[in-house]
Amino acid sequence: MMLSTHFRLLPLAAAFAAGMAVSTSHAAETTNATDGASTAVFAGGCFWCMEPPFDHQAGVTDTTSGYIGGELENPSYEEVSRGGSGHAEAVQVTYDADKISYAQLLEIFWRNIDPFARDRQFCDSGSQYRSAIFYANDRQRKLAEASKAEMQERFDRDIATQVVPAGAFWDAEDYHQNYYEKNPLRYKFYRFSCGRDDRLEEVWGDEAGGPVFD
C-alpha cells in the first residue's frame, strides 16, 4: 500500500513489515469453487482493509488475504506491490451460504471500495490495487454483473470495477493475515493516512462500510 506523501518509493505495508519473516504461500484453486462451497474473492485495494468488513459479518467463517489475477506462481508481496505481476491484492471470503448470501457479500464489497477509481484505490496506485470481483462460477458471474449494472444506474457514470473469472488464489504471507488485529495502531495509521474512510463517506454517505447482516 503506497502512502504517497510519506513513503514515495516503499509501500507502507513493506515499511511496517520490514524485518519480519515471510512464510511460504500456497494456492487455492478458486475456479473449482461454487457458491455452495461458500467462497468468494474480491479485490478492493489494500487487502488489510478488506478483511474487517467481512470478518464482522455473521455467517463469514474466514477471510484470507492473497494475490490473484496474474501469471506468477506463488508471488511474493514484494513482487506484487511493485507492479507488473498482473496480480491484484485480494481477499478470499469463506462463508456459510445458509447464513449470508453471495449477493449480500456483494453489497458489502461495493460499499468498501471507490468504484470509480481505475487501477488504484485511495492512496494506493497501480493495477495491483485495482478493484475487481473474481467470480468462481456462472451464478456468481451473473450476480456480480447485475450488481455492477445497479451501481452504474445508481451513479450514472462509468464503474471501473472489473468482473472477471477467478484463477489461482495465492495466500499472502502470514504477517498480512488479520493485520488489523495483529497491528491495530499501524493499521489505523495507514487507513487514516490513506484517506480511505473519508473517500468512502464521500461516495457512499451513510452506507459507507456496508450493511451488517445478522
Side-chain angles (χ1 to χ4, degrees):
M1 304 75 188
M2 186 73 70
L3 182 58
S4 59
T5 55
H6 295 91
F7 294 85
R8 296 183 184 277
L9 301 178
L10 181 66
L12 185 57
F16 284 161
M20 302 180 92
V22 175
S23 66
T24 301
S25 303
H26 66 278
E29 290 293 343
T30 59
T31 50
N32 292 332
T34 65
D35 199 33
S38 305
T39 59
V41 180
F42 305 109
C46 169
F47 46 26
W48 295 350
C49 299
M50 291 302 289
E51 285 190 351
F54 295 105
D55 280 340
H56 297 158
Q57 299 292 331
V60 171
T61 58
D62 187 50
T63 56
T64 303
S65 288
Y67 315 111
I68 191 171
E71 298 298 326
L72 291 181
E73 293 190 4
N74 195 28
S76 68
Y77 174 73
E78 287 72 20
E79 290 173 318
V80 175
S81 63
R82 68 173 171 246
S85 72
H87 286 289
E89 288 194 13
V91 62
Q92 181 172 263
V93 181
T94 304
Y95 65 102
D96 182 343
D98 291 329
K99 296 180 179 178
I100 189 169
S101 69
Y102 185 73
Q104 289 173 319
L105 296 179
L106 287 168
E107 289 189 47
I108 298 162
F109 164 74
W110 285 112
R111 289 157 180 81
N112 281 279
I113 67 163
D114 179 347
F116 315 120
R118 191 172 302 277
D119 287 337
R120 66 175 300 116
Q121 283 290 294
F122 313 102
C123 68
D124 298 316
S125 61
S127 64
Q128 65 271 36
Y129 298 113
R130 65 190 181 271
S131 65
I133 302 167
F134 292 90
Y135 60 83
N137 53 54
D138 196 51
R139 180 171 183 271
Q140 287 189 0
R141 177 186 62 80
K142 290 178 180 178
L143 289 169
E145 288 177 346
S147 70
K148 181 175 179 177
E150 289 175 6
M151 295 301 110
Q152 182 86 32
E153 182 176 358
R154 169 176 174 157
F155 292 105
D156 192 26
R157 58 179 295 190
D158 288 342
I159 300 297
T161 303
Q162 300 174 353
V163 176
V164 291
F169 180 90
W170 301 90
D171 290 7
E173 296 83 348
D174 285 346
Y175 66 85
H176 287 301
Q177 307 301 333
N178 301 309
Y179 191 89
Y180 72 100
E181 293 180 330
K182 296 174 181 176
N183 301 279
L185 293 180
R186 288 177 174 178
Y187 170 74
K188 290 177 182 177
F189 172 75
Y190 161 74
R191 190 177 179 108
F192 173 79
S193 299
C194 205
R196 190 175 188 108
D197 292 313
D198 287 344
R199 177 57 178 159
L200 288 177
E201 185 175 351
E202 182 180 350
V203 174
W204 297 102
D206 292 341
E207 296 178 37
V212 176
F213 296 104
D214 295 325

